[in-house]
Amino acid sequence: LYLNRRFGWINLLTYDSGVNKTITFAYNSFSGSDIGTRQFYFKTEDTRGYGANTSIQNFYLDKDDVRIDHLYGNGSVYNRSALPKLNFKVRIFDTDRNQSLGANRQGIFYLTKDGTNYIATNYYYTDTSGNLTLNDITVDCSFEVGPQKWKAGTKDDNWYKDVNSSEFMFTVITVNLSTNLL
């Protein structure tokens, strides 16, 4: 079996002999750079040196599917008078390989400040457990008081499809203003 990866053709070096025999090939060393249309062909040769090749065939290597699981931040309350930082966390799980993503996979958070319109954060990166954490955005007067929404997902990662979590909620409160006249 010859396989065309992003850097050219490779021979998977499987040798076997027999008549009407089924040979199974397994290859799992693809990377995110290999995503897209790839090619393969088979080459056969008998003991006398006669051989034949199949025609080149195409296959498509797709990004892995993911699931986003909430860890914390849904239903949280922030008093913007105290200038707290948002604290949201999700775990991203590779459903094709049945494991968490691991470290340095690219994701993003979306949140509202007016209760309706989402804004995107900068990119964040997963930790070794596949957790994506947002904890550096200050809840200030740019956030309206009341219920707000957030979600998280993979975004522009070489290996994983762009997928968003369910929608989660947080609430912004404030201390009532008071005045003193002297």
Side-chain angles (χ1 to χ4, degrees), residues 3-21:
L3 180 66
N4 187 1
R5 289 194 52 199
R6 71 187 182 289
F7 50 78
W9 290 96
I10 60 171
N11 178 352
L12 294 185
L13 298 174
T14 299
Y15 297 99
D16 207 342
S17 62
V19 177
N20 294 327
K21 186 173 187 178

Side-chain angles (χ1 to χ4, degrees), residues 88-90 107-111 119-124 132-135 137 150-153:
F88 304 147
K89 185 183 260 189
V90 296
I108 196 166
F109 286 87
Y110 302 92
L111 55 101
I119 58 171
T121 65
N122 293 324
Y123 290 115
Y124 288 84
L132 191 66
T133 305
L134 179 140
N135 59 9
I137 294 180
W150 69 276
K151 57 188 173 182

Side-chain angles (χ1 to χ4, degrees), residues 64-66 92-101 160:
D64 280 4
D65 295 302
V66 297
I92 306 176
F93 194 81
D94 182 334
T95 58
D96 292 332
R97 293 186 296 156
N98 200 31
Q99 65 186 35
S100 66
L101 264 56
Y160 299 99

Side-chain angles (χ1 to χ4, degrees), residues 48-119:
R48 298 169 294 165
Y50 295 108
N53 295 346
T54 64
S55 62
I56 294 175
Q57 302 291 314
N58 290 327
F59 69 97
Y60 187 78
L61 188 63
D62 199 7
K63 291 182 176 187
D64 280 4
D65 295 302
V66 297
R67 180 185 78 231
I68 316 276
D69 297 329
H70 172 264
L71 292 180
Y72 60 79
N74 189 31
S76 54
V77 177
Y78 298 93
N79 183 341
R80 72 178 188 189
S81 299
L83 298 174
K85 294 192 182 292
L86 294 175
N87 198 359
F88 304 147
K89 185 183 260 189
V90 296
R91 176 166 294 133
I92 306 176
F93 194 81
D94 182 334
T95 58
D96 292 332
R97 293 186 296 156
N98 200 31
Q99 65 186 35
S100 66
L101 264 56
N104 300 315
R105 305 315 321 175
Q106 189 166 286
I108 196 166
F109 286 87
Y110 302 92
L111 55 101
T112 64
K113 290 184 171 189
D114 63 4
T116 304
N117 299 301
Y118 279 100
I119 58 171

Side-chain angles (χ1 to χ4, degrees), residues 107-167:
I108 196 166
F109 286 87
Y110 302 92
L111 55 101
T112 64
K113 290 184 171 189
D114 63 4
T116 304
N117 299 301
Y118 279 100
I119 58 171
T121 65
N122 293 324
Y123 290 115
Y124 288 84
Y125 295 88
T126 56
D127 63 20
T128 55
S129 298
N131 298 329
L132 191 66
T133 305
L134 179 140
N135 59 9
D136 61 348
I137 294 180
T138 301
V139 180
D140 57 19
C141 288
S142 68
F143 286 83
E144 290 181 6
V145 171
Q148 303 293 339
K149 299 180 271 192
W150 69 276
K151 57 188 173 182
T154 50
K155 178 77 171 147
D156 301 328
D157 189 272
N158 288 336
W159 291 42
Y160 299 99
K161 292 178 181 174
D162 289 350
V163 174
N164 287 326
S165 68
S166 301
E167 189 174 82

